[in-house]
Amino acid sequence: MSRTILAILVLVFGLGLAQPVRAAGSDGDIPTAAQSDRITSPDSWRSIRQGEAGYIGGQPAARGVLIQSEGETWRNFRNGKLAVYAGWLLIGVTLAIAAFYFIRGKIMMEGGPSGQTILRFTKIERIGHWLTAGSFLVLAATGLNILFGRWIIEPWLGKTLFSWLTWAGKWLHNISGFVFMAGLVVIFYLWARDNLWDRYDWGWIKGGGGLLKKGVHPPAAKFNFGQKTQFWMVIVVGALVSSTGLNLLWPFTLGDIHAMQVMQLVHAALAVVMVLFILGHIYIGTIGMEGASTAVTTGYVDREWAREHHAVWVEEVEKSEPKAAE
């Protein structure tokens, strides 16, 4: 009996040793990647290069694409024509604003401040303005960094610090986008009606908005034609930028990878258009015009400023004001 048990143990032990030897000996029977005709075949690589999709369990076929050739086209356009043209436009508009300031100077209240104020924007209107404007400033700064930072900021900060800055900026960009969309809804609800075309707009256009010559003050209601143009640009372009941005946050919602690449280019190009418009808006609202900035800070403006730039609106407000007791 003991001999039988010993023979069984020797047999089991021998089979255990034989398995690694057999496995090791069979490794040469399995073709490596370099030996596989399916991998090294020029036809197969050509198919992959042309975008033939592989298989990923539980995923759409489009996500199995190993090499997407359009990505190289997208990258070259984004880092080439888009970045170059956008950069020159930003520089050109900034220089044009600076030239206008030095030639025209700050637009002053010709009669000087009256010392009397009038409510220009209510608290809810100012909240709507700053929801949109504040979030846009964050979006513009972080977006321009994504577009130009690698060439302008990275050489100064170094790769490590720039990568952290861009990573944080990306999250700020995503969060600020939702604040911006909320601001769009608020200002559309509050101001859409006041920004429709009226009979004073053509006169404002012919008079250059009173910006080109001293002593020229075309009458305007609550918003003049320039402000209306700015408003509808923000609403329309802002809605397009928001919709493309949402698709980038939730990939493949509205299209495949190629559609996302197109949307990213549209998103970036329209965002640059908004920045170009907003540069002029910021200029007029700050150093370009005396008395304009308080409209969105305290809500009140000097009555002389209001009469010079929005005479029709002032008349409407004064008609509704209670008369002083005689």
Side-chain angles (χ1 to χ4, degrees):
M1 174 67 76
S2 60
R3 291 182 180 180
T4 303
I5 294 174
L6 180 61
I8 293 173
L9 290 174
V10 170
L11 178 62
V12 171
F13 183 73
L15 289 173
L17 291 177
Q19 293 304 318
V21 174
R22 187 178 303 165
S26 64
D27 283 347
D29 299 332
I30 300 175
T32 63
Q35 295 169 333
S36 173
D37 290 338
R38 291 180 299 171
I39 299 299
T40 59
S41 168
D43 292 335
S44 297
W45 276 115
R46 188 177 299 110
S47 298
I48 293 173
R49 185 70 175 82
Q50 292 174 351
E52 181 178 325
Y55 172 76
I56 301 177
Q59 297 293 328
R63 299 189 188 183
V65 175
L66 182 62
I67 298 177
Q68 199 243 358
S69 301
E70 291 84 359
E72 185 176 357
T73 304
W74 164 82
R75 181 178 182 276
N76 290 335
F77 185 86
R78 178 196 179 277
N79 295 341
K81 290 183 178 180
L82 177 61
V84 171
Y85 291 155
W88 281 115
L89 283 171
L90 289 167
I91 293 172
V93 169
T94 302
L95 292 176
I97 292 173
F100 181 81
Y101 177 76
F102 285 109
I103 294 172
R104 174 65 171 86
K106 189 170 187 175
I107 301 171
M108 308 295 289
M109 285 182 273
E110 295 184 9
S114 67
Q116 299 178 337
T117 59
I118 184 172
L119 181 62
R120 174 74 171 149
F121 295 127
T122 63
K123 186 175 183 179
I124 186 62
E125 287 178 308
R126 299 197 304 277
I127 290 174
H129 172 271
W130 285 113
L131 274 177
T132 312
S135 58
F136 178 79
L137 291 176
V138 176
L139 289 167
T142 53
L144 290 174
N145 175 59
I146 293 172
L147 186 58
F148 299 110
R150 180 172 296 178
W151 300 288
I152 299 175
I153 300 177
E154 184 184 294
W156 293 89
L157 295 183
K159 293 182 179 297
T160 301
L161 186 56
F162 173 74
S163 66
W164 279 104
L165 175 68
T166 305
W167 175 83
K170 176 256 187 186
W171 282 104
L172 279 174
H173 194 89
N174 294 346
I175 295 170
S176 298
F178 293 100
V179 180
F180 177 75
M181 286 183 277
L184 286 181
V185 173
V186 173
I187 64 172
F188 180 81
Y189 175 78
L190 293 174
W191 292 335
R193 180 179 299 179
D194 292 324
N195 279 278
L196 298 176
W197 175 276
D198 60 38
R199 64 182 182 275
Y200 305 107
D201 289 331
W202 179 238
W204 190 93
I205 295 171
K206 291 190 294 183
L211 302 176
L212 305 179
K213 293 182 180 181
K214 294 182 180 180
V216 177
H217 303 294
K222 184 168 184 176
F223 296 107
N224 58 45
F225 179 76
Q227 293 167 327
K228 292 175 181 179
T229 302
Q230 183 80 25
F231 174 82
W232 289 112
M233 182 282 301
V234 170
I235 294 297
V236 175
V237 179
L240 292 173
V241 170
S242 299
S243 62
T244 52
L246 287 173
N247 186 68
L248 296 173
L249 282 175
W250 282 279
F252 307 106
T253 302
L254 300 177
D256 57 12
I257 185 65
H258 178 67
M260 289 184 61
Q261 288 164 347
V262 173
M263 288 187 187
Q264 193 279 332
L265 295 177
V266 172
H267 182 83
L270 291 177
V272 170
V273 170
M274 289 194 70
V275 171
L276 295 174
F277 272 85
I278 296 298
L279 284 175
H281 180 69
I282 293 174
Y283 164 74
I284 290 295
T286 54
I287 65 172
M289 179 179 289
E290 181 187 21
S293 62
T294 58
V296 291
T297 53
T298 66
Y300 290 87
V301 294
D302 190 271
R303 283 184 183 262
E304 180 61 27
W305 180 91
R307 289 191 182 97
E308 290 185 5
H309 302 289
H310 300 276
V312 178
W313 170 72
V314 174
E315 291 179 7
E316 294 173 352
V317 172
E318 289 180 339
K319 287 179 181 178
S320 63
E321 290 178 339
K323 301 296 182 181
E326 296 182 357

